[in-house]
Amino acid sequence: MSSALQLIKNNNKIMTSLIIDASSDKIFLVLIVDKNIYTSSFENSKSNFEKLVLLIDQFLINNKKSINDIKQIYVNRGPGRFAGIRNSLSIVKGYHLSKKIDYFCFSFLD
């Protein structure tokens, strides 16, 4: 997660950013609005893969935002669980195509 946060810190503009990490046992969602950070996590299971878009939408609603407020998305591209990575990348690419939201990939390498 620190790689994505570092990318955001290096950006001089303050934007509303979403971080999605589904590469481990948990699905982590992070919303950065100005200098506020909101987080949530969910079990990384097949049932949550099927409803990841709904989890993201509910997470944004809980924090008084919508996908239209997001200016950039950061997504973990691995290494990790292939199904979670594939699913989150597909969703982010869908947001990019439909909403024109910029996205960036990050990874944790040892």
Side-chain angles (χ1 to χ4, degrees), residues 77-79 107-110:
R77 65 174 175 88
S107 64
F108 294 112
L109 300 175
D110 293 334

Side-chain angles (χ1 to χ4, degrees), residues 4-106:
L5 292 175
Q6 190 60 39
L7 283 172
I8 293 169
K9 283 182 181 179
N10 291 339
N11 189 349
N12 292 332
K13 297 178 185 176
I14 296 177
M15 297 182 165
T16 302
S17 302
L18 176 66
I19 301 171
I20 302 171
D21 184 351
S23 65
S24 64
D25 294 340
K26 298 270 187 189
I27 297 170
F28 294 103
L29 300 176
V30 179
L31 179 65
I32 301 173
V33 181
D34 298 327
K35 295 184 180 185
N36 299 314
I37 299 174
Y38 308 94
T39 63
S40 189
S41 66
F42 306 92
E43 181 184 345
N44 198 350
S45 65
K46 185 176 181 179
S47 64
N48 280 343
F49 292 156
E50 295 171 357
K51 60 181 182 180
L52 184 55
V53 172
L54 299 174
L55 294 173
I56 292 169
D57 285 342
Q58 189 59 52
F59 172 66
L60 292 173
I61 289 168
N62 291 346
N63 292 294
K64 298 176 180 57
K65 294 292 175 188
S66 76
I67 195 65
N68 295 324
D69 297 321
I70 304 300
K71 301 299 179 204
Q72 51 196 2
I73 300 175
Y74 297 85
V75 61
N76 190 344
R77 65 174 175 88
R81 292 184 172 192
F82 177 72
I85 295 167
R86 179 186 64 208
N87 191 39
S88 57
L89 282 170
S90 298
I91 289 168
V92 169
K93 286 181 180 182
Y95 284 142
H96 172 71
L97 290 172
S98 65
K99 302 289 186 180
K100 306 298 184 223
I101 300 172
D102 291 332
Y103 72 94
F104 306 90
C105 295
F106 67 94

